[in-house]
Amino acid sequence: VGFGALMFLTIWLVSERSIVPRWAESDSFVPGVIVIVATLAGIVLSKSPVVESPLWCGAALVSGFVLHFTRGSWPSLAAGTFLCTYLVSLYPLFVSKISAVNRPGRFIVLTS
């Protein structure tokens, strides 16, 4: 995944009218707050070595499938919040890799 895809997915999931509470079909205020807390958890977890683990990536892949196939239920909200946590936790890793590359424009689009 390139940095552009990471930015697109984050904006898609954590925008003004987030996709996660809409897929959970909840009109209450609580799912939006849960997504914001999950985003903050991703910032905290970004300093952990678990971010570079293949298990972390696999868990995000499973949560993406759960989010897609369980619309309108609380499991979709849980999977979406985990996916938000995963995406936000990748930002420091990507920024450090972009700053270490000689051609950052290529890294923004493609994986190194």
Side-chain angles (χ1 to χ4, degrees), residues 5-112:
L6 179 68
M7 288 179 60
F8 171 76
L9 285 173
T10 305
I11 290 169
W12 180 62
L13 286 172
V14 192
S15 63
E16 179 184 345
R17 282 290 291 160
S18 176
I19 203 79
V20 175
R22 275 198 267 162
W23 277 15
E25 294 180 359
S26 175
D27 292 331
S28 67
F29 180 69
V30 177
V33 172
I34 291 172
V35 170
I36 291 171
V37 170
T39 304
L40 293 174
I43 293 170
V44 171
L45 285 173
S46 67
K47 298 175 183 172
S48 173
V50 74
V51 174
E52 297 182 34
S53 168
L55 184 62
W56 185 247
C57 183
L61 183 65
V62 168
S63 73
F65 281 117
V66 170
L67 177 64
H68 181 71
F69 290 113
T70 60
R71 287 189 193 175
S73 62
W74 283 100
S76 65
L77 180 64
T81 54
F82 180 77
L83 197 56
C84 290
T85 303
Y86 171 75
L87 289 174
V88 172
S89 71
L90 291 180
Y91 272 98
L93 179 69
F94 269 75
V95 170
S96 67
K97 286 188 176 187
I98 287 173
S99 63
V101 171
N102 291 336
R103 298 186 306 186
R106 182 173 181 199
F107 187 82
I108 289 174
V109 178
L110 303 172
T111 310
S112 64

